[in-house]
Amino acid sequence: MTDQVLATLTASPARRMFGLGCLLLLGGMLIFLGFTRSFDAFGWQLFLLAFGALSLAMAEKMRRATTGKLILTPEGLFDGDGRSVALIDDISRVNRGTFAAKPTNGFMLELRRSDGRVWAPGIWWRLGRRAGVGGVTTPAETRAMADMIQALLRQRDASDEDAI
């Protein structure tokens, strides 16, 4: 990763708090119901407690992930820890369409090769040959980053055609 930063993407504080609040509320309500309601079958109580704990764990994972940022450089898209989300050479297309399976207010990157599964809830994810960016991010920053990636792809493709 070079020092030249083209764009950064961070979580919107209001969206972050809303998302965390929803997960914490869900987890708290499920655990509360699991302890206070009497059920004929012990399995339902265990189900509520397990999903409540899972919701609280997901809230913590989201809290940690949304403190970071995404950084776009000429080489690719990286998170704040330097982990690669997608390299520019590996991106085949940026999809921001209405019906694309993308995060809220975000975009989808179609990759040329699979680079494993990673998930930073609320910010980005990568599954197989697809990576999604967005969620609790601001729409303007996300749109600007998608535009920058598309410009880098056009520049890459033009230089590839010149090389031929």
Side-chain angles (χ1 to χ4, degrees):
M1 187 169 89
T2 65
D3 293 335
Q4 184 183 5
V5 175
L6 301 175
T8 59
L9 183 64
T10 58
S12 164
R15 291 173 188 267
R16 180 177 187 246
M17 287 296 120
F18 181 76
L20 288 173
C22 287
L23 282 174
L24 290 171
L25 183 66
L26 175 65
M29 287 175 58
L30 290 173
I31 289 174
F32 176 76
L33 285 173
F35 280 127
T36 59
R37 297 281 312 241
S38 63
F39 294 96
D40 293 334
F42 178 69
W44 283 112
Q45 190 170 12
L46 190 62
F47 174 81
L48 288 173
L49 293 173
F51 274 94
L54 181 66
S55 294
L56 293 178
M58 288 308 306
E60 175 59 19
K61 184 170 173 119
M62 183 177 172
R63 185 194 65 80
R64 289 181 185 175
T66 55
T67 59
K69 60 183 174 181
L70 287 179
I71 302 167
L72 179 64
T73 68
E75 285 79 34
L77 187 60
F78 301 90
D79 70 359
D81 298 330
R83 181 173 41 180
S84 170
V85 176
L87 299 176
I88 294 297
D89 291 337
D90 292 337
I91 300 172
S92 60
R93 188 169 100 115
V94 177
N95 192 349
R96 295 189 296 178
T98 304
F99 299 110
K102 61 182 177 53
T104 305
N105 296 319
F107 57 91
M108 174 76 66
L109 299 173
E110 294 181 17
L111 307 174
R112 293 182 176 158
R113 65 181 180 88
S114 176
D115 201 13
R117 288 181 268 184
V118 185
W119 185 33
I123 299 291
W124 68 278
W125 55 264
R126 185 178 57 226
L127 179 64
R129 293 180 47 204
R130 300 195 186 279
V133 176
V136 296
T137 58
T138 59
E141 283 183 350
T142 309
R143 193 175 314 112
M145 182 172 278
D147 290 340
M148 289 290 286
I149 292 172
Q150 286 179 322
L152 288 171
L153 293 179
R154 281 192 299 273
Q155 181 182 10
R156 178 198 68 192
D157 294 342
S159 66
D160 288 347
E161 289 176 6
D162 291 342
I164 295 176

